[in-house]
């Protein structure tokens, strides 16, 4: 530059500074409005570049934002739109931008064709028509970090150094505004991601803590809405979240397998297999092969290697029914598997492992079996981590109509009939004791439906109305000690059974009573009033008592009603006459 040119530039500088400062102020104001608009970040940056083109006479403008690892994350040019996302990304001179980021200072290049930061492809993209192109770039900072660059290029017409300096200062101001906007967007994005993640975590926790409703177990075939059933299902829903071993207790016919399957379906193991084994139905040698598998040639008939039920249930649930019937020697083998999860196939030496959730079931009084040395105490504690007593049908009589209707529906589907219960027939079912529980109810419904002459089942169709009740025949001359004391809360220690009076219509199965050595020593409780029709003084009383017990199938409550006595009075009378209750 000559001395004359320098003097001219110095003379014109004050007026140019005033004009450029006004332009810069207007530009900062307009761009600040764009940056505060509630739009997508890429759209905001593209709008900034579009506005800059009117202030700086630029040909191209690019904003590049960096990720946390320093790699380019966003590249936006003037005219960017969401429709251009699928197109080729905005091209930018990587080496020039890399220097701006590394040095954290602006870069000004008068002619990109003469600078070593621009390769042939960059020159071809920026100066494709052979004109001289100048380049300006400034860093975008967020705090003390460089988070991107703002670059522009334009045709170089030999403008003065002063023009470059003023434009760079203007770009630095804009870059600072962009840096604050980018920082705010990233803070908001991080908070949004954190809140979404926290919301998902809390939702999972709520799902874990909230027991599944009882109605969600219908797939397992459990029918009933009584408080007793809802209580059992609520406990199962809680236990299903863990891998704790569960022991299902209850009388025969209460549906232990159905509840075991419900526990499996409500647990995280539901996608895996549910495998069941009836321990009482298999001999010890066969049971060992069934559970642990066997190798080829392990015994006669073992023509191939076979996986056992533990292997088949890997990752799922194994249900061992009638576990109280296994022998003492097999109890030791089962205990080892439950403690270590390891076993060997019959005839094999390789130790195998299986991840199995065990559910056991029994209608046997295991506590008494442990006291008598028939069942190992250590195995009892292993399988009875969570004991659950299933309610007998007499304690959920409100479910009888639902169960009976379902059994009749199945009968109609299988036999092509359209039978229905009359109100009187349903009353007969609801008043029955059903010592065989749900299994006996199903038998009763199917037998009655088979012999029903009309489309509506009436009270006279039932076998009990014809003195052919299977329960009465089964229990006639037999009685059983009720093996199922009530459990406190269904999960606690066992206590004594409730008195007969606690049942609604109680044919309580009487316990065996040893005959006293001196019958005369048995007296009624003080204040006991005997009906006049029951003579206490001669042998006819004993004969009538025996006759009533035989007719009632040795059910004390029925015999008491026949003789006009209370269950307590007939109990005293049986002991007074040294009548031993016959065992079932």
């Amino acid at each position: 530059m000559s001395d004359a040119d320098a003097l001219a530039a110095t003379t014109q500088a004050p007026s140019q500074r005033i004009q450029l400062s006004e332009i810069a102020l207007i530009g900062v104001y307009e761009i600040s409005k764009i940056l505060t608009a509630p739009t997508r970040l890429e759209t905001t940056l593209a709008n900034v570049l579009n506005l800059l083109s009117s202030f700086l006479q630029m040909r191209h403008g690019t904003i590049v934002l960096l990720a946390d690892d320093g790699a380019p994350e966003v590249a936006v040019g003037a005219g960017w739109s969401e429709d251009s996302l699928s197109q080729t990304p905005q091209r930018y001179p990587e080496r020039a931008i890399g220097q701006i980021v590394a040095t954290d200072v602006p870069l000004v290049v008068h002619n990109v064709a003469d600078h070593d930061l621009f390769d042939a492809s960059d020159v071809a993209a920026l100066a494709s028509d052979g004109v001289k192109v100048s380049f300006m770039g400034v860093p975008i900072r967020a705090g003390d970090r460089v988070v991107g660059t703002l670059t522009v290029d334009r045709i170089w017409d030999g403008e003065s150094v002063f023009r470059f300096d003023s434009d760079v200062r203007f770009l630095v101001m804009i870059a600072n505004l962009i840096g604050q906007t980018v920082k705010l967007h990233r803070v908001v994005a991080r908070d949004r991601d954190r809140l979404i993640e926290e919301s998902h975590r809390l939702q999972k926790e709520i799902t874990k803590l909230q027991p599944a409703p009882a109605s969600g177990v219908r797939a397992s075939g459990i029918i009933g809405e009584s408080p007793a059933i809802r209580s059992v299902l609520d406990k199962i829903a809680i236990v299903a979240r863990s891998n704790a071993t569960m022991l299902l207790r209850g009388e025969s016919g209460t549906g232990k397998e159905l509840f075991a399957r419900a526990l499996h379906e409500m647990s995280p193991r539901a996608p895996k297999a549910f495998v069941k084994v009836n321990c009482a139905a298999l001999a010890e040698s066969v049971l060992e092969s069934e559970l642990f598998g066997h190798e080829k040639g392990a015994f006669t008939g073992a023509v191939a290697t076979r996986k056992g039920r533990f292997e088949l249930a890997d990752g799922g649930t194994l249900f061992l029914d009638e576990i109280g019937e296994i022998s003492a020697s097999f109890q030791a083998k089962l205990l080892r598997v439950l403690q270590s999860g390891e076993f060997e196939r019959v005839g094999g030496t390789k130790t195998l492992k299986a991840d199995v959730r065990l559910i056991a079931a029994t209608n046997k009084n295991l506590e008494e079996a442990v006291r008598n040395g028939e069942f190992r105490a250590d195995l009892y504690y292993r399988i009875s981590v969570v004991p659950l007593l299933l309610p007998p049908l007499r304690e959920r009589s409100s479910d009888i109509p639902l169960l009976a209707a379902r059994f009749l529906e199945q009968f109609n589907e299988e036999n092509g009939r359209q039978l229905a219960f009359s109100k009187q027939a349903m009353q007969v079912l609801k008043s029955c004791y059903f010592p065989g529980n749900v299994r006996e109810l199903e038998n009763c419904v199917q037998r009655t439906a088979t012999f029903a002459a009309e489309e509506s089942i009436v009270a006279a169709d039932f076998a009990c109305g014809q003195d052919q009740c299977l329960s009465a025949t089964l229990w006639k001359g037999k009685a059983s000690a009720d093996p199922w004391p009530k459990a406190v809360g269904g999960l606690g220690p066992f206590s004594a059974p409730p008195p007969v009076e606690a049942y609604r219509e109680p044919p309580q199965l009487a316990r065996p009573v040893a005959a006293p050595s001196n019958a005369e020593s048995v007296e009624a409780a003080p204040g006991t009033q005997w009906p006049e029709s029951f003579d206490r003084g001669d042998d006819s009383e004993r004969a009538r008592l025996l006759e009533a017990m035989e007719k009632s199938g040795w059910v004390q409550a029925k015999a008491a009603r026949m003789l006009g006595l209370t269950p307590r009075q007939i109990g005293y009378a049986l002991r007074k006459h040294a009548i031993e209750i016959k065992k079932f």
Side-chain angles (χ1 to χ4, degrees):
M1 181 184 295
S2 65
D3 294 340
D5 293 334
L7 180 61
T10 305
T11 304
Q12 296 174 359
S15 62
Q16 285 181 335
R17 291 193 186 97
I18 294 173
Q19 183 181 8
L20 291 175
S21 63
E22 291 178 353
I23 293 175
L25 182 61
I26 295 173
V28 169
Y29 172 71
E30 294 296 333
I31 288 175
S32 65
K33 291 196 298 182
I34 294 175
L35 292 175
T36 56
T39 57
R40 179 173 176 171
L41 179 60
E42 290 87 344
T43 303
T44 299
L45 299 180
N47 291 337
V48 170
L49 291 173
N50 293 333
L51 184 62
L52 282 177
S53 64
S54 63
F55 284 92
L56 301 177
Q57 294 82 41
M58 67 184 190
R59 298 181 73 190
H60 306 98
T62 305
I63 295 176
V64 177
L65 299 180
L66 307 178
D68 293 336
D69 58 359
E73 182 180 40
V74 176
V76 177
W80 180 94
S81 66
E82 295 188 14
D83 297 335
S84 64
L85 282 175
S86 60
Q87 302 174 3
T88 304
Q90 177 72 23
R91 176 171 176 79
Y92 50 86
E94 296 183 10
R95 294 173 60 189
I97 288 177
Q99 178 171 310
I100 297 172
V101 174
T103 61
D104 193 15
V105 294
L107 173 66
V108 178
V109 176
H110 292 179
N111 187 355
V112 296
D114 298 335
H115 204 284
D116 57 2
L117 288 177
F118 298 86
D119 56 27
S121 60
D122 293 333
V123 175
L126 297 176
S128 58
D129 48 4
V131 298
K132 292 183 179 181
V133 174
S134 60
F135 177 88
M136 289 182 294
V138 296
I140 298 175
R141 298 184 185 89
D144 57 352
R145 290 183 60 234
V146 176
V147 297
T149 60
L150 168 61
T151 61
V152 298
D153 62 83
R154 63 191 180 199
I155 297 176
W156 184 45
D157 55 0
E159 62 258 42
S160 66
V161 176
F162 170 76
R163 173 69 183 276
F164 276 111
D165 291 343
S166 62
D167 287 347
V168 168
R169 285 195 296 271
F170 178 61
L171 289 176
V172 168
M173 288 189 291
I174 302 304
N176 288 335
L177 293 176
I178 293 174
Q180 296 303 313
T181 301
V182 171
K183 181 179 179 180
L184 179 61
H185 272 262
R186 290 183 172 178
V187 169
V188 171
R190 283 195 296 267
D191 287 345
R192 181 181 65 249
D193 293 341
R194 180 180 57 81
L195 291 173
I196 292 174
E197 183 179 354
E198 182 70 10
S199 176
H200 289 167
R201 187 187 66 80
L202 292 175
Q203 189 64 38
K204 289 181 180 178
E205 292 295 328
I206 292 173
T207 303
K208 290 180 181 179
L209 294 175
Q210 184 177 9
S215 58
V217 198
R218 291 297 177 263
S220 297
I222 298 177
I223 301 173
E225 298 294 341
S226 64
I229 284 295
R230 288 199 300 267
S231 175
V232 170
L233 291 175
D234 288 343
K235 291 183 176 71
I236 287 179
I238 295 173
V239 178
R241 299 197 299 263
S242 70
N243 287 319
T245 301
M246 192 172 202
L247 178 62
L248 299 178
R249 316 285 300 266
E251 301 175 11
S252 179
T254 50
K256 302 181 191 68
E257 181 182 333
L258 292 179
F259 285 96
R261 186 178 292 276
L263 176 65
H264 170 73
E265 292 177 355
M266 299 172 71
S267 73
R269 295 175 178 264
K272 299 294 184 177
F274 174 79
V275 180
K276 56 185 179 180
V277 179
N278 190 323
C279 300
L282 301 172
E284 179 179 342
S285 58
V286 179
L287 181 61
E288 183 176 1
S289 174
E290 281 292 320
L291 290 181
F292 306 142
H294 61 255
E295 297 290 347
K296 180 180 179 180
F299 50 83
T300 303
V303 296
T305 299
R306 181 188 179 193
K307 290 184 178 182
R309 302 299 178 92
F310 271 96
E311 289 183 80
L312 296 175
D314 189 25
T317 304
L318 178 62
F319 174 55
L320 298 183
D321 198 6
E322 302 293 352
I323 196 171
E325 305 302 324
I326 62 177
S327 65
S329 60
F330 191 75
Q331 290 174 27
K333 298 177 183 178
L334 181 60
L335 178 62
R336 181 215 169 190
V337 180
L338 297 183
Q339 287 178 334
S340 63
E342 298 179 348
F343 60 94
E344 293 85 30
R345 295 182 184 143
V346 177
T349 57
K350 182 181 178 181
T351 299
L352 304 175
K353 278 184 170 287
D355 175 23
V356 174
R357 199 260 179 84
L358 181 69
I359 304 176
T362 184
N363 59 6
K364 187 175 182 179
N365 192 329
L366 291 185
E367 290 76 17
E368 183 178 350
V370 170
R371 287 193 297 268
N372 296 336
E374 300 171 357
F375 200 86
R376 294 177 63 107
D378 46 6
L379 179 58
Y380 169 79
Y381 291 123
R382 180 65 62 176
I383 65 174
S384 187
V385 177
V386 182
L388 184 62
L389 184 64
L390 302 184
L393 192 55
R394 62 177 173 274
E395 293 182 4
R396 42 180 293 215
S397 57
S398 60
D399 291 334
I400 290 178
L402 296 175
L403 290 165
R406 177 56 183 160
F407 295 146
L408 186 60
E409 179 183 352
Q410 292 176 346
F411 179 87
N412 288 335
E413 292 175 357
E414 295 172 1
N415 297 276
R417 301 192 64 179
Q418 299 293 329
L419 296 173
F421 288 112
S422 66
K423 291 183 178 180
Q424 294 79 7
M426 193 59 71
Q427 288 298 325
V428 171
L429 290 175
K430 291 177 66 175
S431 64
C432 275
Y433 176 64
F434 291 115
N437 294 294
V438 178
R439 188 177 293 118
E440 182 184 350
L441 172 61
E442 183 177 12
N443 174 280
C444 178
V445 170
Q446 291 183 351
R447 191 157 73 104
T448 304
T450 300
F451 287 101
E454 305 294 337
E455 293 299 311
S456 179
I457 297 177
V458 296
D461 290 331
F462 289 102
C464 55
Q466 305 167 20
D467 199 21
Q468 296 178 355
C469 179
L470 291 181
S471 287
T473 304
L474 184 65
W475 293 96
K476 185 176 182 180
K478 303 174 183 178
S480 171
D482 184 357
W484 289 110
K486 301 296 175 184
V488 179
L491 291 173
F494 292 103
S495 60
V500 174
E501 290 82 357
Y503 294 114
R504 183 178 57 85
E505 280 236 301
Q508 169 77 4
L509 302 182
R511 294 183 176 277
V513 180
S517 58
N518 185 2
E520 296 300 326
S521 63
V522 179
E523 298 292 342
T528 300
Q529 300 294 324
W530 298 85
E532 295 181 358
S533 60
F534 194 76
D535 184 5
R536 302 178 56 204
D538 54 27
D539 293 337
S540 63
E541 176 185 333
R542 191 175 194 279
R544 292 178 58 196
L545 194 57
L546 285 171
E547 181 183 4
M549 292 297 292
E550 288 287 347
K551 288 183 178 180
S552 65
W554 287 86
V555 177
Q556 293 188 56
K558 286 185 178 180
R561 287 196 294 270
M562 293 172 61
L563 296 173
L565 303 176
T566 66
R568 186 187 299 271
Q569 290 171 338
I570 199 168
Y572 289 137
L574 290 171
R575 291 195 295 274
K576 173 178 180 291
H577 292 285
I579 298 175
E580 182 177 359
I581 304 299
K582 297 181 181 179
K583 297 181 180 180
F584 178 58

